[in-house]
Each structure stands twice: as structure tokens, then as C-alpha cells.
Amino acid sequence: MKLVFLIFCFPVFCFSQDDLLDEINTDSTGIQYATAVFKGLKIVNFESTKLVAKKQLTFIVAHRFGSIENGFDSFFGLDDAVTRLNFVYGISDGFNIGASRSSFQKIYEFSAKYRLLRQTESGFPFTVVGYNSFLINTGLDKSNLPLLKFKHRLGHTVQVLISRKLNTNFSVELAPTFFHDNLTSSFYDENQVKLSDQDNSQFALGFGGRYKLGKRWSLNMDYGWHLNRDSNSPFKNPLSIGLDLETGGHVFQMHFTNAQGMNTNSFLGQGTGDWSDGNIYFGFNLSRVF
């Protein structure tokens, strides 16, 4: 465990000559592409339009601690942390595949991310990327759900990620999202009267942005607007704010958010925190390129 920690943390303090800022912006045809629109594969919660390069493997360790509102009782959430391990491989510069496991509901997820269009310096104004994922929720307990079948553990996500680099420092993204869970949560009052009945098919619109604060630092923010949430649902729209630190071959992301789950279906469909009452979660991502 100490070795893993050193592998990820050493580049934070020792900047490599192979800096992520040194990106090529011209292809063999002479077309000038917008580069460094986002430096992380995620803005905060939402996927960004960045892809892993061909034949590169990126390993992301993501931690999301418990709510800070409990203070020292849970050491500001440290006692209630969840972890997600994610591997992303570049089949080509424009097509990635990924596999992850999250301790939040013990979710396994498999994904594909692919570039459809790319922003050019004097041509098409946006970068457009597709993202699809398929997940298995192995945390559902059959003792509490006697009619549970394997199909109820499944879910999937379809997103179109549309970004634009407005200038050297500022990039924005729009993320129309469809996600489906074969089993959704129902809520009852003390008399066992159903209060909420969420549709299995759900729709959301994500907004995100990155503002460059310096050579290696940026301020990131994203928000998910759920479009057909049940009126009695206790879940909240996710709002997230974070900082990115770029080093050689490495991106370190720190953030605050009101959703503890890190899969799309989780943070959009099951976020319980509320910024107004301090029910928020601190987290960080460490990504390492091999």
C-alpha cells in the first residue's frame, strides 16, 4: 500500500520534464486543433472531452470521503470514505475503453469513450465526444429484496459531451445525459405509503467548466440538472467544485461535492447531500499515465 502511495504522490513534488502542458496541436495534415481543453478525464463528477492517447493506460484512484457535517465524530468524513479504482486504455487517440470498481454499492462498470468531432482553431467550434457505460450493482442485498434478480443489478449511461475552449484559460462543457437503472429506489412514510416512484429511465443535463489559474492549477466546476426526478424524491442535483494540479504524466484533483457516488448513475440519481446545510463530501482523484 505504501508503494502505491509513493507511485502516485512522488510526481506531485517532483515535476517531470515530460510535462502534460507540452501537447501537440497540429496533425499531419496541418490542421490546428484546440488543445488542453480539459486536463483531467473528468471535470469533477462529469466526464470531460479529454481522452487517453493511443496505447496509453491511465489508472485513476478516486476517494470520496463521508459528509463533513458530522465533524470530529467521523473525522470530517474520513471514517466513511468510498473508493473507486478505474483503468482507462487508449485503443486509439479517439477511442478509449475503461473498467472500474467502486466501493459505493460495490459497483463494477465498463465504459467506452470516443471522439466524434474536434474543435479546430479556424473551423469547427466544438469538440464532441460520446460516452457509454454499463454497470453491475453487486451491493444490492437479496435478503432485503427477495424478488431480486440479476437483471435488477444492471444499469447503463449514454452521454454526449460537447466542449469549447473559449480562450487560453477558459473551457466549458455541456453534457446531455440519459441513464437507466433496472431497479430504482422507492420511499415510504411511517405508514408504509409510497412517497416516491422514480422512473427507471432518467434524463439530465450537465454543465461544466475549467478556468486556468496558473501554469499548473485550474478551478473546475460542474452541475447536473436532473430533468425527470420524482417530485417526492429525497435526492439532490449534484454541484461540485474542485482544483486540478498538473504534473508530469499526472493529474491530481481535489474537490467538494454533494454526491458521494462517483458513477454517473450514482451521482446524478442518488446524491443525498445539500450544500445549504453543510452536507457535502470532500474527495480527490489521482491519475497516473503508463
Side-chain angles (χ1 to χ4, degrees), residues 41 50-54 56 88-98 111-115:
L41 294 175
K50 179 179 175 64
L51 282 89
V52 173
K54 183 178 180 180
Q56 282 190 348
V88 181
Y89 181 72
I91 301 294
S92 69
D93 288 333
F95 186 80
N96 293 175
I97 57 173
S111 64
K113 191 174 182 181
Y114 42 94
R115 185 185 298 118

Side-chain angles (χ1 to χ4, degrees), residues 43-60:
I43 304 174
V44 182
N45 274 322
F46 280 89
E47 294 285 331
S48 76
T49 52
K50 179 179 175 64
L51 282 89
V52 173
K54 183 178 180 180
K55 295 184 179 180
Q56 282 190 348
L57 175 67
T58 296
F59 178 42
I60 305 119

Side-chain angles (χ1 to χ4, degrees), residues 89-154:
Y89 181 72
I91 301 294
S92 69
D93 288 333
F95 186 80
N96 293 175
I97 57 173
S100 71
R101 200 275 189 182
S102 174
S103 61
F104 184 86
Q105 299 179 345
K106 301 179 181 179
I107 292 175
Y108 292 85
E109 185 176 54
F110 306 92
S111 64
K113 191 174 182 181
Y114 42 94
R115 185 185 298 118
L116 302 173
L117 295 165
R118 194 170 180 183
Q119 180 182 348
T120 60
E121 295 296 330
S122 58
F124 194 73
F126 306 104
T127 294
V128 181
V129 169
Y131 179 79
N132 298 77
S133 70
F134 171 80
L135 64 82
I136 306 171
N137 184 337
T138 65
L140 294 173
D141 189 350
K142 197 165 185 177
S143 64
N144 296 325
L145 298 165
L147 299 180
L148 183 71
K149 297 180 180 179
F150 178 74
K151 67 179 182 180
H152 296 135
R153 300 182 183 276
L154 306 181

Side-chain angles (χ1 to χ4, degrees), residues 18 34 54-55 59 65 93 100 108 122 124 130 132 153 166 168 171 174 183 218 222 234 249 253 267 284:
D18 186 21
K54 183 178 180 180
K55 295 184 179 180
F59 178 42
F65 299 103
D93 288 333
S100 71
Y108 292 85
S122 58
F124 194 73
N132 298 77
R153 300 182 183 276
L166 299 175
T168 303
S171 302
L174 185 67
L183 182 67
S218 68
D222 61 32
Q253 298 180 301
F267 71 76
F284 64 85

Side-chain angles (χ1 to χ4, degrees), residues 223-240:
Y223 175 76
W225 178 24
H226 196 296
L227 299 177
N228 66 325
R229 196 186 302 283
D230 185 87
S231 59
N232 292 319
S233 173
F235 297 130
K236 311 293 184 182
N237 290 338
L239 171 64
S240 310

Side-chain angles (χ1 to χ4, degrees), residues 39 71 83 139 172 184 194 206 213 218-219 245 270:
K39 284 304 184 73
T83 301
V172 295
T184 57
K194 183 180 283 191
L213 300 174
S218 68
L219 175 67
L245 169 63
Q270 301 176 49

